[in-house]
Amino acid sequence: MKIRAIRQIVPAVEVTEGAGVTVHRSIGTPALRNLDPFLMLDHFGSDNPDEYIAGFPEHPHRGFITFTYMLDGHMEHRDSMGNRGDLQAGGAQWMKAASGVIHSEMPRQTDGLMRGFQLWINLPAREKMSDPQYQEFSAAAIPEAAVEGGRVRVLAGEFGTVRGVIEDPATDVLYLDVALEPGAGFRHLLSDVRNAFVYVFEGSARVGTEALSTHALAVLGAGDAVEIVAGARGARLILVAGRPIGEPVVQHGPFVMSSREEIEQAFADYHAGRFVRTKAAMSGR
C-alpha cells in the first residue's frame, strides 16, 4: 500500500464576497485555480455578526454544483426553484445550478458562532444545461462512524460500511468531516483515481510525513490510501475527493461553462431575463 503524500500545500487567502463578507479561499486562487472536479473551496466564519449581517444577496449560478456544510450557526436559503431552507449546524446542502439558479444565502449566528464551508463542484458539459436540483439534509440525517480516538461524519461517498446522504454520480464525490483526539491516527483507502485534498480547520495534523496547520489545504499525490495523525491539540478536518471530469473549464464569476461562447450566452440570458427556466418548462409541459 502506498500512502498518498502531500503534493502541494495551499494557504487560504482572504477574499471578499457577497455584500462585503470575508471568506478564506484555497481552491479558486492563483495558487490553485481548480482541482478537477473542484472549482472553489471557501471556509467562512466569524464571531462578529456585523461582518455577515448583509450575507450573500440574490446572485446567479450556472454550470456547476454548490455543496454547503454548516459547522456552527445557520444559513437561510431561497432560490428561483422555489426552495426555502434554514440550514442548521451540522447540516449539508447540495444545489445543482446546472442551466441556471438565482439564490440568496444569509448566514446567521447561533450562540455567537457561525462557520462552515462551501465547495463548488464542476458538471460535465453534457449536464451543464440540465434542470437544476436541490437537496438539504439536517445534522441528524448525516451518518457517523466511530474510529479509534475520534469520529467521522460521512456527508458523501463511503467510509467503511457507512454511506453518506449525498451522491454525485458524475464525479463520485467523497466528503468526510474527521475529528481526532491528540495523537490519534486515521487511515482511509483512497486510490488516485480521484483527486483529493485535506483541509484542517481545528488544531493540526500530519498528513503522511508533513505537518498541516489550520487555514491550509493539502492536495494529495498518487497512492492507495490517506493517513492522518492529529497533533498535540487534536484535529478536525475535511477530507474530500472526486473523480476528474477532464474537460475544459471556462469560468467567469458565477458561471462555469466549457467555452467562452457559453459564458457569453449565460450573461446574455441573465440580462435578458431568460436565465431561469420556469417550473412548467422543467416538467416538460
Side-chain angles (χ1 to χ4, degrees):
M1 180 181 295
K2 181 181 178 182
I3 301 300
R4 298 183 65 164
I6 293 177
R7 189 179 78 205
Q8 180 184 5
I9 294 179
V10 183
V13 297
E14 291 190 355
V15 177
T16 301
E17 287 288 348
V21 175
T22 300
V23 300
H24 287 88
R25 181 168 298 167
S26 45
I27 301 176
T29 66
L32 185 62
R33 288 296 183 188
N34 56 66
L35 180 65
D36 190 8
F38 307 117
L39 304 165
M40 189 189 79
L41 179 69
D42 281 352
H43 179 202
F44 56 86
S46 175
D47 57 6
N48 180 359
D50 293 337
E51 294 180 0
Y52 280 80
I53 194 168
F56 305 90
E58 282 195 349
H59 55 282
H61 290 309
R62 174 178 280 183
F64 63 99
I65 291 164
T66 65
F67 191 138
T68 305
Y69 179 36
M70 290 300 295
L71 300 170
D72 297 295
H74 60 113
M75 180 89 76
E76 297 171 0
H77 170 94
R78 295 185 181 187
D79 66 39
S80 54
M81 290 181 280
N83 298 304
R84 291 190 178 190
D86 191 359
L87 188 65
Q88 302 289 320
Q93 178 202 92
W94 180 94
M95 187 185 77
K96 179 183 176 183
S99 61
V101 167
I102 298 173
H103 75 149
S104 65
E105 301 159 293
M106 297 297 173
R108 301 286 184 256
Q109 289 187 351
T110 300
D111 298 327
L113 298 174
M114 193 286 298
R115 60 177 181 156
F117 288 97
Q118 185 166 99
L119 176 70
W120 288 13
I121 307 168
N122 199 16
L123 281 168
R126 66 179 182 275
E127 292 189 30
K128 287 186 178 292
M129 292 302 291
S130 61
D131 290 338
Q133 297 177 9
Y134 176 87
Q135 300 177 59
E136 185 172 307
F137 299 93
S138 68
I142 296 173
E144 289 192 5
V147 295
E148 187 173 352
R151 64 102 185 103
V152 180
R153 304 191 78 222
V154 187
L155 284 77
E158 295 182 349
F159 179 75
T161 60
V162 180
R163 188 168 189 84
V165 290
I166 294 172
E167 294 187 14
D168 190 329
T171 57
D172 194 23
V173 168
L174 171 78
Y175 196 125
L176 306 180
D177 171 358
V178 183
L180 298 172
E181 298 172 0
F186 167 86
R187 176 179 284 189
H188 182 57
L189 295 177
L190 185 63
S191 76
D192 53 16
V193 170
R194 292 186 283 184
N195 285 332
F197 67 85
V198 173
Y199 187 99
V200 177
F201 59 94
E202 291 180 11
S204 62
R206 190 176 74 249
V207 181
T209 59
E210 293 190 64
L212 191 66
S213 57
T214 55
H215 290 310
L217 179 144
V219 178
L220 301 183
D224 307 304
V226 58
E227 188 173 83
I228 301 168
V229 178
R233 296 182 292 117
R236 191 171 174 193
L237 56 96
I238 56 171
L239 169 62
V240 181
R243 187 170 59 246
I245 295 172
E247 295 177 352
V249 175
V250 181
Q251 180 174 352
H252 195 293
F255 306 138
V256 183
M257 304 302 288
S258 303
S259 69
R260 174 55 54 185
E261 292 75 19
E262 290 173 335
I263 292 291
E264 292 172 354
Q265 186 63 56
F267 275 101
D269 289 346
Y270 181 63
H271 291 302
R274 57 176 182 262
F275 185 78
V276 174
R277 295 182 181 180
T278 64
K279 288 188 176 181
M282 288 171 60
S283 62
R285 294 194 297 273

